[in-house]
């Protein structure tokens, strides 16, 4: 396959690129505007195996056909997007432009240039505020009712992809609804696997993710952190999320591009089906890193649902996806080891 990875210099895209370069022979082209993606990550990926890099913002969509033709792209894995929930509440048009409009243009280019497979990064934020949690996870048939522009921008993109596929028999998709992605490259220096030494991870300095912020506290880059809201209807009042290790998520993408050779288009949740509260995550980070740091209480953040936990039955049974890094301590440990190297 000739695969285009948009957003391949970013956090999740780079972990997918890493696995494709390491474990397959497919030809990879990474397209990224480097607004949050990292040139250093690209250098590291090049030490695994060579690939083409195109620095381009997807809004320059008149340039995309040339890229697709030059590299004879048959498969697109589309990550490039804006992803911060509270920012989407403040600046919704940024999200509709960068996510929905750019995805629509990309699909138009894909259809006009013979791209047959499309893997799309969607989000659990499409579900909004589930009524029936935190007892059971939400499945793919759960009503999608986003409560922030980020979730809506992704849901609208999903609709465009599905309609495009309905009208074009040669265009197939996998849509992944990610839960909370965290951690860094599980890579050991030694054969005994005692020294975890991630080669890539979340590099963007202003990231807002809980586990990233907790790891910045643990390494001493931040003095303290805040819990946003402790009056949710959850186990301890703080927000509950289903944290999934980025390498397990990346593996789902590798499975998806092969899945589409034999199977119809479909939508899958990608999460572990286990929820942890903000408090539990912070405790896990402190314990695994043997550190302590002050934690304050702050009001709820705009657009935050109380709890999101996946039902992952479908991806496990249809794609034989078997997650390997479910341990919250390992997720925190890998994020921390990466943060030390940044
Ligand atoms: C994350 C993703 C989003 C994805 C969603 C799926 C990012 C930036 N966000 O959003 O793209 O669609 O998961 O579920 O990748 N929190 C604190 N203190 C902090 C930071 C966070 O209390 O300093 C809390 C939040 O209020 C929330 C939880 O931790 O309850 C997780 O927040 P965060 O890591 O920012 O992810 P989401 O907003 O869930």
């Amino acid at each position: 396959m000739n695969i285009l990875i948009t957003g391949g210099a970013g956090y999740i895209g780079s972990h997918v690129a890493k696995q494709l370069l390491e474990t397959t022979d497919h030809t990879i082209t990474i397209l990224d505007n480097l607004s949050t993606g990292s040139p250093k990550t690209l250098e590291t990926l090049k030490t695994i195996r060579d690939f083409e890099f195109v620095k381009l913002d997807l809004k320059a969509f008149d340039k995309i056909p040339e890229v697709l033709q030059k590299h004879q792209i048959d498969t697109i894995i589309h990550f490039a997007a804006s992803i911060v929930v509270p920012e989407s509440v403040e600046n919704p048009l940024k999200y509709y432009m960068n996510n929905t409009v750019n995805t629509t243009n990309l699909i138009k280019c894909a259809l006009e240039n013979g791209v047959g497979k499309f893997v799309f990064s969607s989000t659990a934020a499409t579900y909004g505020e589930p009524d029936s949690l935190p007892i059971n996870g939400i499945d793919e048939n759960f009503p999608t009712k986003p409560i922030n522009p980020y979730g809506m921008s992704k849901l609208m993109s999903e609709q465009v992809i599905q309609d495009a596929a309905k009208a074009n028999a040669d265009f197939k998709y996998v849509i992944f609804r990610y839960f909370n992605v965290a951690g860094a490259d599980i890579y050991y220096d030694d054969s005994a696997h005692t020294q975890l030494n991630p080669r890539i991870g979340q590099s963007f300095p202003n990231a807002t993710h809980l586990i990233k912020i907790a790891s910045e506290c643990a390494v001493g880059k931040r003095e303290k952190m805040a819990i946003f809201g402790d009056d949710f209807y959850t186990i301890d009042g703080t927000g509950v999320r289903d944290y999934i290790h980025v390498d397990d998520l990346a593996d789902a993408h590798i499975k998806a591009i092969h899945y589409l050779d034999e199977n119809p288009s479909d939508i899958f949740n990608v999460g572990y089906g286990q929820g942890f509260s903000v408090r539990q995550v912070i405790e896990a980070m402190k314990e695994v890193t043997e550190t302590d740091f002050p934690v304050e209480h702050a009001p709820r953040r705009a657009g935050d649902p109380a709890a999101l936990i996946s039902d992952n039955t479908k991806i496990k049974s249809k794609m034989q996806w078997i997650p390997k890094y479910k341990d919250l301590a390992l997720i925190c440990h890998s994020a921390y080891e990466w943060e030390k190297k940044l």
Side-chain angles (χ1 to χ4, degrees), residues 15-212:
H15 284 78
V16 172
K18 173 196 76 168
Q19 287 192 16
L20 282 168
L21 294 166
E22 250 171 5
T23 66
T24 76
D25 295 328
H26 303 310
T27 304
I28 307 301
T29 302
I30 288 182
L31 183 151
D32 202 298
N33 66 1
L34 297 181
S35 64
T36 58
S38 142
K40 204 164 160 240
T41 296
L42 293 175
E43 275 172 37
T44 307
L45 291 175
K46 289 227 173 200
T47 64
I48 300 174
R49 176 156 72 83
D50 203 15
F51 58 87
E52 288 291 326
F53 172 62
V54 182
K55 183 167 186 287
L56 189 70
D57 192 307
L58 282 179
K59 71 171 178 268
F61 60 91
D62 52 327
K63 302 268 187 330
I64 297 170
E66 193 186 315
V67 177
L68 299 180
Q69 286 157 23
K70 183 173 172 209
H71 301 287
Q72 297 179 310
I73 300 297
D74 46 52
T75 302
I76 296 179
I77 312 183
H78 176 37
F79 296 100
S82 298
I83 58 161
V84 181
V85 171
E87 185 192 45
S88 80
V89 178
E90 277 164 33
N91 191 356
L93 290 191
K94 174 175 174 183
Y95 282 70
Y96 291 116
M97 296 303 290
N98 284 352
N99 297 353
T100 317
V101 173
N102 286 356
T103 299
T104 305
N105 280 321
L106 181 62
I107 288 168
K108 181 168 184 289
C109 297
L111 293 176
E112 288 170 356
N113 289 278
V115 174
K117 293 192 272 189
F118 196 87
V119 181
F120 179 61
S121 307
S122 191
T123 168
T126 52
Y127 294 117
E129 181 79 78
D131 307 324
S132 59
L133 276 169
I135 295 63
N136 297 310
I138 36 192
D139 68 26
E140 292 80 357
N141 297 321
F142 201 89
T144 43
K145 293 183 290 186
I147 58 168
N148 50 58
Y150 166 67
M152 185 54 90
S153 73
K154 288 284 189 174
L155 185 62
M156 288 163 75
S157 306
E158 287 191 7
Q159 191 65 52
V160 174
I161 294 166
Q162 291 174 80
D163 289 345
K166 256 184 227 152
N168 295 275
D170 295 336
F171 181 78
K172 285 170 107 186
Y173 65 83
V174 162
I175 291 171
F176 281 132
R177 292 188 181 141
Y178 306 160
F179 285 66
N180 285 56
V181 189
D185 177 36
I186 299 290
Y187 181 78
Y188 294 92
D189 276 338
D190 55 330
S191 54
H193 287 192
T194 51
Q195 192 52 52
L196 188 56
N197 186 14
R199 296 162 295 178
I200 55 174
Q202 196 167 29
S203 301
F204 187 54
N206 300 321
T208 54
H209 306 61
L210 175 66
I211 290 185
K212 171 85 176 166

Side-chain angles (χ1 to χ4, degrees), residues 126-300:
T126 52
Y127 294 117
E129 181 79 78
D131 307 324
S132 59
L133 276 169
I135 295 63
N136 297 310
I138 36 192
D139 68 26
E140 292 80 357
N141 297 321
F142 201 89
T144 43
K145 293 183 290 186
I147 58 168
N148 50 58
Y150 166 67
M152 185 54 90
S153 73
K154 288 284 189 174
L155 185 62
M156 288 163 75
S157 306
E158 287 191 7
Q159 191 65 52
V160 174
I161 294 166
Q162 291 174 80
D163 289 345
K166 256 184 227 152
N168 295 275
D170 295 336
F171 181 78
K172 285 170 107 186
Y173 65 83
V174 162
I175 291 171
F176 281 132
R177 292 188 181 141
Y178 306 160
F179 285 66
N180 285 56
V181 189
D185 177 36
I186 299 290
Y187 181 78
Y188 294 92
D189 276 338
D190 55 330
S191 54
H193 287 192
T194 51
Q195 192 52 52
L196 188 56
N197 186 14
R199 296 162 295 178
I200 55 174
Q202 196 167 29
S203 301
F204 187 54
N206 300 321
T208 54
H209 306 61
L210 175 66
I211 290 185
K212 171 85 176 166
I213 286 177
S215 57
E216 286 172 353
C217 289
V219 301
K221 289 183 192 169
R222 267 176 200 263
E223 249 172 59
K224 57 183 181 181
M225 64 178 295
I227 293 179
F228 299 132
D230 58 2
D231 56 352
F232 290 104
Y233 183 58
T234 59
I235 177 175
D236 58 16
T238 68
V240 167
R241 296 288 185 277
D242 183 345
Y243 294 91
I244 163 170
H245 191 281
V246 64
D247 274 342
D248 277 333
L249 178 72
D251 176 51
H253 292 72
I254 317 295
K255 295 209 157 38
I257 55 176
H258 299 289
Y259 178 85
L260 281 178
D261 289 333
E262 310 284 332
N263 297 283
S265 300
D266 213 337
I267 301 181
F268 298 88
N269 283 340
V270 206
Y272 290 149
Q274 64 190 13
F276 292 101
S277 73
V278 175
R279 244 193 267 277
Q280 288 171 328
V281 168
I282 295 172
E283 280 318 305
M285 182 61 80
K286 287 182 173 179
E287 202 177 313
V288 75
T289 61
E290 296 175 350
T291 59
D292 199 9
F293 45 85
V295 178
E296 294 175 345
H297 288 269
R300 289 184 185 196

